[in-house]
Amino acid sequence: MTKGHLIPAIEFCSRHEIEFSFINSLHEFGLIEIITIRQTVFLNSDELPRIEQIILFNKELEINLEGVEVIMRLLERVHQIQNEMNILKNRLGLYEN
């Protein structure tokens, strides 16, 4: 990961109209990673869609962080299962042809 892929957390917060403490809470719940460089907190740009999804669940759908944590873990598991199914379909396709 390079510095070019880091977004200052305070800038992200101001653009999304959220408190910086919300980012800290997400980190404490293990939902996101933060990077601290010289007392400045950064977010990995690869995680921005995930963070925006979390914000949607929390702010728009009014789901508390415990619920968001469960939803995010379930979504990760669904994606893993979908990937496994695709691999198995591809293997099966080799034998059917």
Side-chain angles (χ1 to χ4, degrees), residues 57-88:
F57 288 147
N58 182 257
K59 301 296 182 195
E60 302 294 324
L61 300 177
E62 298 179 1
I63 300 172
N64 63 19
L65 288 182
E66 291 84 0
V68 170
E69 180 182 21
V70 170
I71 291 169
M72 296 307 290
R73 304 238 187 266
L74 288 172
L75 286 173
E76 287 173 13
R77 185 67 183 128
V78 166
H79 289 300
Q80 288 174 350
I81 291 170
Q82 286 174 334
N83 288 336
E84 290 172 11
M85 282 179 35
N86 286 335
I87 290 169
L88 293 172

Side-chain angles (χ1 to χ4, degrees), residues 14-52:
S14 66
R15 288 188 184 195
H16 287 81
E17 298 177 354
I18 60 172
E19 296 290 326
F20 181 76
S21 61
F22 184 71
I23 295 295
N24 279 332
S25 296
L26 296 179
H27 177 67
E28 288 171 6
F29 269 87
L31 293 170
I32 64 168
E33 291 184 25
I34 59 173
I35 298 100
T36 305
I37 302 172
R38 295 184 188 156
Q39 298 180 344
T40 302
V41 176
F42 293 92
L43 302 170
N44 186 337
S45 62
D46 295 338
E47 282 196 289
L48 295 184
R50 176 182 172 85
I51 299 170
E52 289 169 346

